[in-house]
Structures are given as structure tokens and as C-alpha cells.
Amino acid sequence: MASDITCSGSLAARAPEKALDASVLDIDCAAETALTSARLVEIVARVLRRRGVVVAVSGGIDSSVCAALAARAFGRERVLALLLPEHDSSKDSTRLGRLVAEHLGLEYRVEDVGPALEAIGCYRWRDEAIRRVFLAYGAGWRSKIVIAGAQGGLTYFKLVVQSPSGETREERMGAQEYLQVVAATNFKQRLRKTLEYFHADRLNYAVIGTPNRLEYDQGFFVKNGDGSADVKPIAHLYKTQVYALARHLGLPAEICSARPTTDTYSLPQGQDEFYFGLPYDKMDLALWALNHELSAEALAGAIGVTPAQAERVYADIRAKRRATTYLHLAPQLVAPL
């Protein structure tokens, strides 16, 4: 469920005067909306010299808020929403994406990328790796990856599969199988981004990226996939603050209360079980506390863990920053120009 964080206070960094709690993430939503809208216009029109924007709308909170901010900034006539389902997408994804686009009055296109992913080998490469763990895996089976041993311990990944009869099994993944499944599923984000840039080039538009601060900081995106964009309007906002903006912007209640999911694997999968290891509201507080140099003891009381566990949360954040530095890097030149 979405957080109950409200729109008050400001985004300015401040040390808490009392015990750490969710109020440190309160923002002035009206001011934030006005500031972000103005900056979008400045960046797209003056820096990028484009006449509008393309945004892929998945029905999730982040893309919905980005679409709403873009509509505020440019007017609905200069925003194109793309709905890009594939074979493993939840039916709710397209339904909610359409709901958002129609609610905002945006032109939108639904383009099923499943056949292209099939042709490029996305599902074949994935299934080949899964069958090295579960030999019987085949047509009608579903799967996902979940994280285990997070928060500073020995992190590893488990493969969860479900047979057509509904039997669920799980097994620890080897490194080769994990990397191949992730590489194959990364085709999804990269192919979607190709379509976004096709429409952007066709219309002389810019491409909106939709990561929030938690995803951007922790490297929860695909390089040259959903990590690729011309402007990222909410990368400075914690996920909790994005939910607050969604309510302020008047997005449909179903959007404002939706649980964050990856919508990448055929089995339902929350972002916490795949990558973060904690629900987003606790991860937001942990990241805020680390950024403001609060002790592990202060964090422990706020998220209901022991100080030792809180220290492991801090260690996990630092480890993800190190491991995903590559994702943020621009192409490297061997000599200066």
C-alpha cells in the first residue's frame, strides 16, 4: 500500500530535531510541481531544443507521475504516452497505463513488443538458463527471481518457478544462470527504449526517464534501457515523495495505492523481493538517514530493526552504489578531445 506521507515542509536537506520518522520526507507538493514543470520546459525547449516529450507509461506510480508532470509542463497536446506490453506483462499494466493516459487526456499508443522480443531471442535465452536449474521448465510455466541474504550479508538469488498445475518450486541460482536470465530480460527495457526514441525522433520530442531517487541511487535500472533518457524529472525524489505527488496531482486512486512491482517476470514480483530487500518506505528512510549521516541506532528505531541490522542496511546501500557505478558512467574516451 502507498505511504501516508503528506505534502508539507520542503525538500531542503535538514537534520531531524527528534527521533527519525517518516515526516523527514514530507514535501511541499505544490511548490515541487511548479518547480519541476518549469525546469522541464527549460530543459526540453532551451537545452534539448525539442517541442514535446515521450513517456512510456506502465501504470506504475513513477511513470504516472512523470506523465502528469509532463502534461502540466507542456500541455497534453505535446505529450505522447506509450504503452509497451510484452508476453509476461500483467494485464493490469496496460489497463492502468490506459487509465492514466485517458485521465490526463494524453494521446497514447499501445504497441505489443512481445513478438519482437520473441524474434530477438529474449524468451529463448531466458528459458534455456532456467532449464539448467529446472529441467522440466517449459510452455505454461512461470518464473521470477528473488533476492536472499540482503542487507550486508551474503547476497544470492533464488529462482522461483510455477508449473502449469500451480506447483511452486525454488532453487538457488548459479552465477551463470542468473546473469543469463537478467541479460535476457534486459532486452525488454532496451527494446522499449528503442520505440520511445523512434517516436521521439519522429515528433522532434525528448524522452522522459522515470526512475525515482531510490532506483537512481541504487542502480535499479538497465543501462541503455530504462536508464536511458533525455531528462529524468523525479530522480531527486524519494519513492514516498512520488506517492505524495501522485495524490497532489489528482491521479486515480488505484494508481496512488498500487504496490511497486517490476512487471518484468511472468510471476508477480515486488521490487523489494527482487532488489531492495525492504519495502520502499523503509528503504527511503534508510537512504535519507545515510545521506544525512544518521547513526545506525537512529535508523533502527525508525524502521523497527536492531542496530546491527540497520548497519547491514547501510552496508547494502553502499555495496549497491559501488556495484552499479558502471550503470551511471558515460562512454569512456581513451584520450581527451
Side-chain angles (χ1 to χ4, degrees):
M1 295 295 290
S3 168
D4 291 329
I5 291 300
T6 57
C7 293
S8 62
S10 71
L11 275 175
R14 60 190 187 278
E17 297 178 352
K18 56 181 181 178
L20 176 65
D21 61 38
S23 67
V24 299
L25 297 171
D26 287 352
I27 60 172
D28 182 335
C29 290
E32 180 60 30
T33 298
L35 175 63
T36 301
S37 298
R39 284 288 292 142
L40 276 173
V41 171
E42 180 181 5
I43 291 168
V44 171
R46 298 181 184 177
V47 179
L48 303 176
R49 297 185 178 276
R50 296 295 184 266
R51 54 187 295 272
V53 295
V54 171
V55 56
V57 179
S58 67
I61 194 73
D62 297 318
S63 64
S64 299
V65 166
C66 285
L69 289 169
R72 290 283 184 104
F74 302 104
R76 62 187 183 183
E77 68 278 0
R78 288 199 291 156
V79 180
L80 174 64
L82 295 179
L83 283 61
L84 304 170
E86 47 91 18
H87 295 346
D88 295 327
S89 296
S90 163
K91 289 183 174 58
D92 276 345
S93 178
T94 300
R95 179 181 65 81
L96 293 174
R98 184 179 281 111
L99 173 66
V100 169
E102 292 177 350
H103 174 81
L104 296 171
L106 304 179
E107 177 189 355
Y108 68 91
R109 300 178 64 95
V110 181
E111 300 196 21
D112 185 352
V113 300
L117 289 169
E118 185 98 44
I120 208 170
C122 167
Y123 307 113
R124 173 173 54 83
W125 280 103
R126 178 200 63 194
D127 293 352
E128 176 189 285
I130 291 176
R131 278 193 291 271
R132 294 204 295 267
V133 182
F134 293 104
L135 185 61
Y137 187 88
W141 287 65
R142 299 199 295 165
S143 63
K144 66 179 177 180
I145 293 175
V146 299
I147 195 170
Q151 280 78 62
L154 178 62
T155 298
Y156 62 94
F157 293 91
K158 295 188 295 184
L159 177 63
V160 180
V161 299
Q162 186 179 82
S163 70
S165 66
E167 178 190 4
T168 299
R169 300 167 59 189
E170 61 179 52
E171 192 70 49
R172 182 169 178 167
M173 300 184 77
Q176 287 186 330
E177 288 72 32
Y178 168 76
L179 290 173
Q180 184 167 323
V181 170
V182 171
T185 55
N186 284 352
F187 270 131
K188 300 179 181 184
Q189 285 79 10
R190 289 179 173 135
L191 186 56
R192 285 174 173 137
K193 194 59 63 172
T194 298
L195 277 171
E196 291 173 52
Y197 271 99
F198 163 74
H199 287 289
D201 290 348
R202 177 177 68 84
L203 297 167
N204 195 30
Y205 279 9
V207 171
I208 293 279
T210 65
N212 59 65
R213 185 168 188 158
L214 187 57
E215 294 169 347
Y216 188 78
D217 182 282
Q218 293 291 277
F220 187 51
F221 56 85
V222 175
K223 189 163 189 173
N224 296 324
D226 55 337
S228 180
D230 296 313
V231 58
K232 299 181 178 182
I234 62 170
H236 62 294
L237 295 173
Y238 292 90
K239 187 97 174 181
T240 308
Q241 295 168 338
V242 177
Y243 273 104
L245 268 190
R247 294 190 293 273
H248 172 76
L249 291 165
L251 287 169
E254 193 172 2
I255 299 296
C256 296
S257 62
R259 174 179 178 242
T261 66
T262 64
D263 199 33
T264 297
Y265 293 87
S266 51
L267 281 174
Q269 179 195 56
Q271 292 183 351
D272 53 339
E273 65 178 340
F274 175 66
Y275 195 77
F276 295 114
L278 284 175
Y280 76 85
D281 52 345
K282 292 184 177 181
M283 279 302 304
D284 275 353
L285 275 180
L287 185 59
W288 189 96
L290 182 61
N291 287 341
H292 290 79
E293 301 181 344
L294 270 65
S295 67
E297 289 76 11
L299 175 62
I303 65 174
V305 299
T306 67
Q309 289 171 321
E311 192 57 63
R312 288 196 293 272
V313 171
Y314 279 167
D316 189 60
I317 291 173
R318 295 186 183 103
K320 282 188 171 71
R321 284 174 171 172
R322 290 192 298 271
T324 61
T325 297
Y326 158 77
L327 300 179
H328 291 276
L329 293 177
Q332 302 297 291
L333 304 181
V334 298
L337 298 179

